[in-house]
Amino acid sequence: MPTTASTTSTGAGQSWTALRHLRHLLDLLDQGAPAEQFEPPAASAGGPRLDEPDAALVAEATRVALRIRRTLGQHRRREAELAALFDTAGDLARLRDLDAVLKALVHRAKLLLGTDVTYLSLNDDEAGDTYMRVTDGSVSAAFQQVRLGMGEGLGGLVAETARPYSTGDYRDDPRFRHTTTIDGAVTEEGLRAILGVPLRLGTRVIGVLYAADRTARSFTPDEVALLSSLADHAAIAIDSARLLDETRSALVDLNEASRTIEAHSDAMRRAEDAHDRLTDLVLRGADITDVATAIGAVLQGGTLIHDADGTELARSGTDSGPPSARAVAASRAGGRAVPADGTWVCAVLAGPELLGSIALTGRAGRAGLGDADRRLFERAAVVTALLLLQRRSVAEAEDRVRGELLGDLLTGAADPASLPARARRVGVHLDHPHAVFVLHSATAPRQRLLAAAARVAHSRKGLAGLHHDDVVLVLPAEHPGPGVGARAASLAGELGQALGGPVTVGAAGPVTGPGRFRDAHAEAVRCRTALRALGREGSGAALGDLGFLGVLLGDQTDLGGYVRRTLGPVLDYDAKRGTDLVHTLRTYFDEGASPSRAAEALHVHVNTVVQRLDRTGRLLGRDWQHPERALELQLALRVHRVQRPDESAPPTA
């Protein structure tokens, strides 16, 4: 019996020991203990030993527990992976910042795979390589900036083949194309085990996602699958960000296009309004100044308008000078307005013909013109061309009428009785005194000289035209005012400045009535010829201003007037003081300009003759003994000797 009881007691103890071990396995599973703790404990000294069936049962239970542990671990890992993928999907749904999403995704890959470093590279299609975009756990600056050529290293091979690759120890793996740059960066970072999976959009690879350790090891298929899933999410994030950027860009472009269309529409309406305004001015007969003012108001600047010769036609709101000839030429060549020294210049054209130019100054000129305002400025030049052509057409018709009237006045071929009425229709009154001027320029073309003369005639209510190849001006004689000779000199200066070259002006008159213009014209022609013969190009005078030469050339010789113009101061002195300086002067010249012989002829002392001559010089001027002046004086003295006493008397007040 004792033996039986002992045996029973021993069996019960062994069964209890087996049960305790089974309970211990359940506790380990509940605690999630590591696998090494699942080994059955060693039998204690003196304790019951498990018989073979119980030991087999405990061993089988341990194996089942380990399988359960592995299954639970896989479930927990899968749960963590699913949670990470779910979080990543949430990030994609809330995508605002691509860099933030990619950093979070790379960090999750590091946590899930438990590696030392994770990183992501993107392909650069233009450069033909792949570059680092995001890293987590990296400590090397060179590694963070490395670029891999297609097919180079592990990442380059993944990017080129669109397949995952892994290596337990990269430095010793001959499957990859090693380069100094890549190997140096990997060595500096201390990496050995590397896993790379492609980022795919359809069939196109856009980058690579990596997990790497600084110790050698192998990557399981589950790790490859997990990293591939994360790579797919990264590719979706990148593509979503691209689509979002494209959508934003499209919206920006759409808004910009809408603003552009609106601005263009406003510019078109403004241009149409301005064109209608300017055209209405032309149709209502406005002058060029009104157009200049309107252009300045529309474009908010000052305006200058010149004709093709550079003569100013109008200005508004500016004191600037004329535009440069180079700017006008550039605008004419290109057919567009051009900037020049803070001013916009536009040539006024009728086909290829240059009619003039418009200059825009002030704020509009300095700030520049937008495309719409530039087109508006160019449209204003078209309207200005229309106005100038209209003015030219009217002026040409009027000039033809004026030219025909001038021709009839100078030839005397028309009925004199009809001429005053014809003249009044163009604003000329032949019953008032008029002077005749004949013009000549050796440098300016005849048509330019005629155009300049026509402008003078229009401004002073006269006539201008061509007669026998001469440019002739007929202007009212101002009274009181300068004499005809002085007006000729003034005209020579005015026209010479306008044409940029000397203009010679011969004058005659004033005359009243249609019948006297022919003779006055002939006299003005002779005066113009005499001025050129005397080398006085660029000056103006009447025959009376040419001394004895004028007397010789004149048809109606005014000898008394010639004597008074030449000897007047001496005659007046003798008349007032009862002296006879004229006789002394005549004797002086008769005796060969010798004071001593003149003293003998006058029966006075030579000093008396010298004193009289000094007084005469003060009256006549210092040049009285110069050959040309002396000849004038001698001729006047001879005429005075044979005159009637009243012919050289001073004019009465």
Side-chain angles (χ1 to χ4, degrees):
M1 289 296 294
T3 304
T4 304
S6 176
T7 303
T8 303
S9 174
T10 301
Q14 291 175 345
S15 298
W16 179 248
T17 301
L19 290 174
R20 279 195 306 165
H21 186 69
L22 293 176
R23 172 60 185 271
H24 178 66
L25 290 175
L26 292 175
D27 289 339
L28 290 176
L29 288 174
D30 180 57
Q31 296 167 5
E36 57 269 19
Q37 294 185 16
F38 280 75
E39 293 296 329
S44 57
R49 297 181 59 88
L50 295 176
D51 58 16
E52 185 174 344
D54 286 342
L57 177 64
V58 169
E60 179 63 23
T62 301
R63 287 193 293 273
V64 171
L66 287 174
R67 286 199 301 273
I68 293 173
R69 179 187 176 279
R70 284 195 297 272
T71 301
L72 291 175
Q74 290 175 350
H75 287 178
R76 281 194 295 270
R77 186 168 59 253
R78 177 58 61 185
E79 181 180 357
E81 292 172 0
L82 290 175
L85 294 177
F86 181 80
D87 291 341
T88 301
D91 290 341
L92 294 180
R94 298 185 300 272
L95 179 63
R96 293 294 182 270
D97 183 353
L98 176 63
D99 284 339
V101 172
L102 293 181
K103 287 179 181 178
L105 192 147
V106 169
H107 182 65
R108 289 193 186 104
K110 183 172 181 291
L111 294 178
L112 290 174
L113 272 72
T115 55
D116 297 323
V117 182
T118 50
Y119 49 100
L120 182 148
S121 66
L122 293 180
N123 292 356
D124 186 338
D125 293 333
E126 292 185 2
D129 61 8
T130 182
Y131 64 95
M132 229 36 112
R133 176 67 183 269
V134 182
T135 64
D136 191 338
S138 171
V139 296
S140 167
F143 182 79
Q144 295 166 16
Q145 298 173 6
V146 71
R147 298 182 74 98
L148 291 74
M150 291 299 178
E152 295 178 353
L154 183 146
L157 187 60
V158 173
E160 183 179 54
T161 63
R163 294 173 56 193
Y165 277 91
S166 66
T167 177
D169 193 343
Y170 174 77
R171 288 174 294 182
D172 298 329
D173 197 327
R175 292 176 299 160
F176 309 112
R177 189 193 310 168
H178 292 265
T179 67
T180 302
T181 302
I182 298 173
D183 287 359
V186 170
T187 300
E188 184 173 320
E189 188 64 54
L191 300 182
R192 299 188 67 182
I194 302 174
L195 167 63
V197 297
L199 278 66
R200 283 187 291 252
L201 287 177
T203 59
R204 185 167 66 93
V205 177
I206 62 172
V208 179
L209 179 62
Y210 304 84
D213 272 327
R214 294 188 172 92
T215 57
R217 77 175 184 92
S218 298
F219 289 95
T220 67
D222 287 345
E223 290 174 320
V224 175
L226 175 60
L227 196 62
S228 297
S229 297
L230 293 173
D232 291 339
H233 281 77
I236 293 172
I238 294 170
D239 192 46
S240 297
R242 177 185 62 80
L243 293 175
L244 186 59
D245 286 342
E246 290 178 355
T247 302
R248 288 170 178 166
S249 298
L251 289 174
V252 170
D253 292 342
L254 182 61
N255 291 334
E256 185 65 28
S258 177
R259 287 192 294 270
T260 301
I261 292 172
E262 184 177 354
H264 181 69
S265 178
D266 290 341
M268 289 295 293
R269 285 195 297 269
R270 183 164 169 250
E272 290 173 0
D273 291 343
H275 184 75
D276 292 344
R277 178 179 176 183
L278 293 173
T279 304
D280 184 60
L281 284 175
V282 175
L283 295 178
R284 287 193 289 106
D287 61 20
I288 196 71
T289 302
D290 294 330
V291 173
T293 303
I295 294 172
V298 169
L299 294 174
Q300 300 179 344
T303 311
L304 274 170
I305 300 179
H306 290 78
D307 66 10
D309 296 325
T311 302
E312 183 179 309
L313 300 179
R315 71 169 54 231
S316 175
T318 181
D319 55 1
S320 300
S324 67
R326 179 177 297 178
V328 175
S331 176
R332 180 184 185 183
R336 299 293 306 275
V338 298
D341 301 326
T343 299
W344 278 86
V345 179
C346 189
V348 178
L349 302 171
E353 181 185 0
L354 179 67
L355 300 180
S357 65
I358 306 178
L360 185 66
T361 66
R363 185 175 66 84
R366 291 191 301 272
L369 292 178
D371 289 341
D373 283 344
R374 185 176 182 182
R375 287 192 295 270
L376 182 54
F377 184 40
E378 291 163 353
R379 183 173 292 189
V382 174
V383 174
T384 304
L386 175 64
L387 178 60
L388 292 181
L389 285 174
Q390 184 184 58
R391 286 185 54 183
R392 185 169 72 178
S393 178
V394 172
E396 287 175 350
E398 186 176 333
D399 287 344
R400 282 195 298 272
V401 173
R402 289 173 175 270
E404 292 171 359
L405 174 62
L406 180 64
D408 290 342
L409 281 173
L410 300 183
T411 59
D415 178 12
S418 66
L419 293 177
R422 290 171 56 191
R424 282 194 297 272
R425 285 196 289 270
V426 294
V428 177
H429 300 278
L430 297 181
D431 54 344
H432 295 168
H434 284 74
V436 179
F437 304 91
V438 177
L439 317 178
H440 178 268
S441 174
T443 57
R446 185 180 291 118
Q447 287 301 320
R448 283 194 64 198
L449 180 59
L450 177 60
R455 284 194 291 269
V456 173
H458 281 297
S459 65
R460 301 176 192 176
K461 297 183 178 179
L463 300 173
L466 284 174
H467 185 67
H468 296 166
D469 294 332
D470 287 326
V471 177
V472 181
L473 255 176
V474 172
L475 299 176
E478 300 171 0
H479 183 76
V484 173
R487 292 192 66 192
S490 176
L491 269 176
E494 178 182 348
L495 294 172
Q497 184 176 6
L499 297 178
V503 176
T504 307
V505 181
V511 296
T512 304
R516 301 187 62 189
F517 280 90
R518 179 178 181 179
D519 294 338
H521 170 256
E523 182 177 327
V525 170
R526 290 196 296 274
C527 181
R528 188 275 317 272
T529 303
L531 287 171
R532 298 187 65 203
L534 292 171
R536 293 175 58 180
E537 290 277 0
S539 64
L543 281 178
D545 303 314
L546 301 183
F548 77 92
L549 186 58
V551 173
L552 294 176
L553 294 173
D555 286 339
Q556 299 176 357
T557 304
D558 180 14
L559 295 177
Y562 174 68
V563 171
R564 282 221 53 81
R565 286 193 298 273
T566 307
L567 295 173
V570 179
L571 294 172
D572 292 343
Y573 188 89
D574 284 347
K576 185 180 293 187
R577 290 173 174 77
T579 56
D580 197 6
L581 294 180
V582 170
H583 179 60
T584 301
L585 186 59
R586 184 186 302 118
T587 304
Y588 171 73
F589 282 123
D590 288 344
E591 295 299 328
S594 170
S596 59
R597 288 201 297 272
E600 291 177 3
L602 294 171
H603 305 291
V604 296
H605 193 275
V606 67
N607 289 341
T608 302
V609 173
V610 171
Q611 291 172 0
R612 292 176 181 176
L613 293 176
D614 286 343
R615 189 178 303 278
T616 300
R618 287 194 294 273
L619 293 171
L620 297 177
R622 288 185 173 184
D623 63 342
W624 71 277
Q625 294 192 74
H626 290 183
E628 185 176 340
R629 183 77 185 281
L631 179 59
E632 293 272 358
L633 291 171
Q634 292 177 64
L635 180 59
L637 288 169
R638 291 182 182 276
V639 172
H640 180 260
R641 176 182 291 175
V642 299
Q643 270 185 321
R644 293 191 304 273
D646 60 340
E647 287 183 323
S648 61
T652 59

